[in-house]
Amino acid sequence: LLSCRLYCEEAKDPKRRSCQTVLAETLDIVVRSFAPILPHLAEEVFQYIPFKKDSEGVFRTGWINASSAWKKPGIEEAIEGACAMRDSFLGSISGKNALEYEVIIVIEPGLLFELMEALQAEETSSVSQLNEIMMASQTTLLSELPKETPADANIIKGTFLINLEGGDICEQSSYKVIARPIAKAKCPRCRRYTAESSSTPCPRCLQVLAARKGST
């Protein structure tokens, strides 16, 4: 997830910038957390953080002050639900390369489906947040099983408990995960199986490369 966003996206792409923001915020919180125990190490790390403009040091700039914008209702539950489905997917392929597969997630209409839609607005995507979490080359989000699903398909079933607003909203939702070998070729740039041929970058990488050429 991190490597794909940092090294494959355009430099100013919101996905890449948001990843850098999370890493910066995480580093700041971690350093301030262990500062009382390891003051010299914390101070040294703080002085070398490239995006810090002040030089007052970690002990003169206050304690942890995370923005309230990080706490959005439903985000934690959406990520946890996606991770539960990812565990089902990875368990079904027995340690094989997840990028060699596409994932089909089937969830009946309801709160869990809406949370997953927040991570992937399109029905099928290779660049959505949901697909990045699944670690596959492509993820499809459906409300019912595809009609062409083989009778012997390996369908992994699971449930996820959604708990929102301190327990005021509680819903047990079921889901199905199907892993299928992907038919596309490996992209020589991002290494995902999303290209039409092994000698040509995938559509996402072609777009990034074209934008770089246009800016030079």
Side-chain angles (χ1 to χ4, degrees), residues 1-2 4-5 78-93 96-107 112 116 119-120 123-142 156 175-180 192:
L1 172 57
L2 293 179
C4 185
R5 286 197 178 192
I79 299 299
E80 289 180 349
C83 287
M85 297 174 198
R86 180 190 62 194
D87 291 344
S88 298
F89 160 56
L90 295 178
S92 70
I93 61 175
K96 297 178 181 177
N97 184 2
L99 291 175
E100 296 179 358
Y101 290 83
E102 62 173 325
V103 183
I104 299 175
I105 299 174
V106 182
I107 309 171
L112 182 59
M116 293 304 106
L119 300 177
Q120 179 169 301
E123 182 177 282
T124 299
S125 177
S126 61
V127 296
S128 68
Q129 295 181 76
L130 179 59
N131 186 67
E132 289 178 338
I133 294 171
M134 296 303 294
M135 300 168 60
S137 280
Q138 179 175 288
T139 297
T140 299
L141 179 62
L142 302 172
I156 308 300
Y175 62 84
K176 300 181 181 72
V177 174
I178 305 172
R180 300 193 307 200
R192 288 185 175 181

Side-chain angles (χ1 to χ4, degrees), residues 35-129:
I37 305 171
L38 300 169
H40 299 292
L41 176 60
E43 185 63 33
E44 183 176 3
V45 172
F46 197 81
Q47 293 298 329
Y48 280 93
I49 295 178
F51 52 84
K52 290 292 182 184
K53 302 301 182 183
D54 56 72
S55 58
E56 295 183 6
V58 66
F59 293 101
R60 293 176 179 267
T61 53
W63 184 235
I64 297 171
N65 186 26
S67 172
S68 59
W70 293 89
K71 187 62 176 179
K72 293 184 178 180
I75 293 297
E76 181 179 354
E77 289 73 18
I79 299 299
E80 289 180 349
C83 287
M85 297 174 198
R86 180 190 62 194
D87 291 344
S88 298
F89 160 56
L90 295 178
S92 70
I93 61 175
S94 304
K96 297 178 181 177
N97 184 2
L99 291 175
E100 296 179 358
Y101 290 83
E102 62 173 325
V103 183
I104 299 175
I105 299 174
V106 182
I107 309 171
E108 292 183 358
L111 185 55
L112 182 59
F113 188 87
E114 294 175 3
L115 291 175
M116 293 304 106
E117 279 189 316
L119 300 177
Q120 179 169 301
E122 309 88 349
E123 182 177 282
T124 299
S125 177
S126 61
V127 296
S128 68
Q129 295 181 76

Side-chain angles (χ1 to χ4, degrees), residues 4-47:
C4 185
R5 286 197 178 192
L6 290 174
Y7 300 117
C8 295
E9 299 291 355
E10 179 64 24
K12 295 182 179 180
D13 188 281
K15 289 184 178 180
R16 184 175 186 273
R17 297 293 291 146
S18 65
C19 182
Q20 290 177 313
T21 299
V22 170
L23 291 174
E25 187 75 9
T26 301
L27 176 61
D28 184 82
I29 290 175
V30 169
V31 172
R32 294 183 191 277
S33 297
F34 68 67
I37 305 171
L38 300 169
H40 299 292
L41 176 60
E43 185 63 33
E44 183 176 3
V45 172
F46 197 81
Q47 293 298 329

